[in-house]
Amino acid sequence: MNTCRTSLAVMSSVIAGSVPRMMSSSMRAGAISSVRGMATATSEPARAANSPRMKKFKIYRWNPDEPTSKPSMQDFEVDLNECGPMMLDAIIKIKNEQDATLTFRRSCREGICGSCAMNINGTNTLACLCRIDADLTQTTKVYPLPHMFVVKDLVPDLTQFYKQYKSIKPYLQRKDYPEDGKETLQSIEDRKKLDGLYECILCACCSTSCPSYWWNQSEYLGPAILLQTYRWLVDSRDHATEERKLALENSMSLYRCHTIMNCSRTCPKGLNPGLAIAQIKKSMAL
Amino acid sequence: MVVKRVGRLTGLQRDVLSLYRSCLRAIRKKPPESKRNFLIFTRRQFEQHIDISKSDFTTIEYLLRKGHHQLETFSNDGVRNVAV
């Protein structure tokens, strides 16, 4: 027991808040309460007393049914004790309880569909993956994706984004298929090349964070689409590599990228479009 | 925006008229029994916003974009009638 206590003291002095799960259940109760007591002194009493923690939100509103009206920011307050931890929970709660006309896209609530992409406190992320900042003195500002036409409130018009995705022909193109009619085979090393590329959910967070995409949206493809172009360029099963590279042989589709790297910074799935674009540029040069 | 002096049209006014002309051309390709419905629908869409000041560029440009988008959707051969 003594050795356990000392190791616990070391742990709690070094790490505030992150408790390793591998402690035995007999130690767990005392250990957790002592670590929590040192780490967050305010959270336990607040939960016990049930006093409401009101967080302020400012949300971008615009109604296309009154096209002459200007967009505005509307203030909302949400009790964080009655709300889930993510921004999407707060926005849904506001829509349910305060203003039913608030319009936004959402679907999976787990960061896999890419519908709820929006600009929260200056960063493009998915609302379902962005935790609400528990600092009650700060107002959280919610905007739609920057430099996109707005359909209503937080809903951007992504038709051009989808058209650009269609233009790169994001499907397998082969001259012939295996004779036995079964799968086109791929080695494990070749499959590893697709890791970090296939996980893209096309949320448009990266493309709408790129200043180059803001200024040349009609001609520059943008990081998301270029990441997918690279995904098909590097797929060993695809035979249309030369045609794909030929489609990028102009001054605008690929070469408007100036390695600003906002894309990799903002990707909510942790992907690296900037690196993929650099790899494309390298393969175009060689 | 109401066009008062037809002599000198501004660029935006020309865009609006050109959109209206494209709509009329698209209506010509629709089945004969529903042409009248499409015409009434188009006129209503334009007349709804006839009172916008001609200097309100943002609103007019937004409505032009919306109009082009709707034209693209309605020009589809599958769209054979519209409710009025």
Side-chain angles (χ1 to χ4, degrees):
Chain A
M1 243 353 231
N2 279 338
T3 50
C4 298
R5 283 262 171 86
T6 49
S7 68
L8 175 64
V10 168
M11 264 196 316
S12 53
S13 62
V14 168
I15 316 161
S18 63
V19 181
R21 300 255 174 246
M22 288 169 303
M23 290 157 60
S24 66
S25 54
S26 57
M27 269 177 60
R28 189 169 288 157
I32 287 183
S33 61
S34 65
V35 170
R36 276 199 180 160
M38 292 190 70
T40 51
T42 52
S43 60
E44 281 273 13
R47 221 171 286 122
N50 245 357
S51 56
R53 293 185 297 148
M54 302 305 285
K55 173 80 179 174
K56 291 199 270 297
F57 294 91
K58 269 186 188 299
I59 303 188
Y60 179 100
R61 304 298 309 272
W62 182 67
N63 188 358
D65 294 329
E66 296 153 26
T68 46
S69 65
K70 301 285 172 232
S72 61
M73 299 300 279
Q74 190 174 356
D75 295 306
F76 294 103
E77 269 202 1
V78 173
D79 181 10
L80 294 184
N81 289 337
E82 307 290 325
C83 182
M86 300 304 187
M87 282 301 304
L88 186 64
D89 299 318
I91 296 175
I92 289 177
K93 191 174 165 67
I94 292 171
K95 186 179 172 74
N96 283 342
E97 294 172 9
Q98 297 182 42
D99 187 350
T101 60
L102 179 62
T103 308
F104 51 94
R105 287 196 178 113
R106 86 281 175 268
S107 184
C108 70
R109 61 103 175 89
E110 59 182 351
I112 198 71
C113 71
S115 310
C116 57
M118 51 185 79
N119 187 301
I120 298 170
N121 280 334
T123 309
N124 292 352
T125 46
L126 302 172
C128 56
L129 291 181
C130 177
R131 267 177 226 280
I132 305 174
D133 180 14
D135 184 354
L136 302 177
T137 58
Q138 301 288 330
T139 311
T140 297
K141 297 200 186 116
V142 183
Y143 283 91
L145 291 175
H147 211 275
M148 301 294 275
F149 289 124
V150 168
V151 174
K152 183 174 182 179
D153 292 346
L154 300 170
V155 177
D157 182 2
L158 292 172
T159 42
Q160 178 144 61
F161 182 76
Y162 297 140
K163 275 195 197 136
Q164 286 169 329
Y165 184 55
K166 187 176 176 176
S167 73
I168 63 154
K169 304 206 181 105
Y171 43 83
L172 192 65
Q173 293 170 354
R174 280 181 75 94
K175 297 186 206 66
D176 49 29
Y177 286 87
E179 278 128 24
D180 57 357
K182 294 196 177 143
E183 305 93 343
T184 45
L185 296 174
Q186 184 176 51
S187 72
I188 295 180
E189 297 79 30
D190 285 333
R191 173 61 185 81
K192 277 214 170 67
K193 291 185 199 159
L194 296 176
D195 288 337
L197 304 175
Y198 77 90
E199 298 99 329
C200 174
I201 54 177
L202 293 173
C203 62
C205 282
C206 58
S207 289
T208 45
S209 67
C210 176
S212 206
Y213 190 70
W214 295 344
W215 316 140
N216 309 93
Q217 195 168 58
S218 45
E219 287 150 54
Y220 176 43
L221 290 176
I225 312 302
L226 289 170
L227 183 80
Q228 290 305 296
T229 326
Y230 186 58
R231 177 252 176 276
W232 289 105
L233 280 173
V234 99
D235 193 340
S236 61
R237 300 168 290 181
D238 184 64
H239 287 164
T241 316
E242 284 309 312
E243 290 94 334
R244 294 185 195 275
K245 282 164 74 167
L246 198 64
L248 298 173
E249 278 287 0
N250 57 71
S251 67
M252 295 299 283
S253 310
L254 164 69
Y255 292 108
R256 279 316 94 203
C257 172
H258 301 299
T259 61
I260 298 171
M261 295 304 266
N262 259 4
C263 49
S264 308
R265 201 173 197 186
T266 204
C267 179
K269 305 291 285 179
L271 306 180
N272 198 341
L275 178 64
I277 296 176
Q279 307 276 31
I280 305 178
K281 288 179 183 168
K282 187 166 79 168
S283 79
M284 300 282 282
L286 297 173
Chain B
M1 44 169 209
V2 187
V3 179
K4 286 211 179 93
R5 247 181 10 174
V6 195
R8 269 306 187 91
L9 291 172
T10 66
L12 267 183
Q13 283 171 329
R14 266 181 267 146
D15 286 336
V16 174
L17 290 171
S18 140
L19 173 63
Y20 190 66
R21 252 196 302 265
S22 316
C23 293
L24 294 177
R25 284 188 196 128
I27 291 173
R28 229 170 279 163
K29 298 184 191 149
K30 293 296 175 190
E33 59 275 4
S34 51
K35 265 190 195 150
R36 177 148 180 73
N37 282 352
F38 279 107
L39 202 54
I40 297 172
F41 176 74
T42 317
R43 282 202 192 124
R44 274 200 201 147
Q45 294 285 306
F46 278 83
E47 279 162 7
Q48 211 178 355
H49 299 289
I50 205 161
D51 292 322
I52 295 177
S53 148
K54 73 171 186 220
S55 56
D56 192 356
F57 307 127
T58 35
T59 312
I60 298 174
E61 276 165 18
Y62 161 72
L63 290 168
L64 276 170
R65 252 183 285 124
K66 184 178 160 192
H68 278 290
H69 204 104
Q70 275 182 310
L71 174 60
E72 220 180 288
T73 318
F74 280 75
S75 309
N76 195 335
D77 287 328
V79 182
R80 283 185 290 271
N81 207 338
V82 70
V84 280

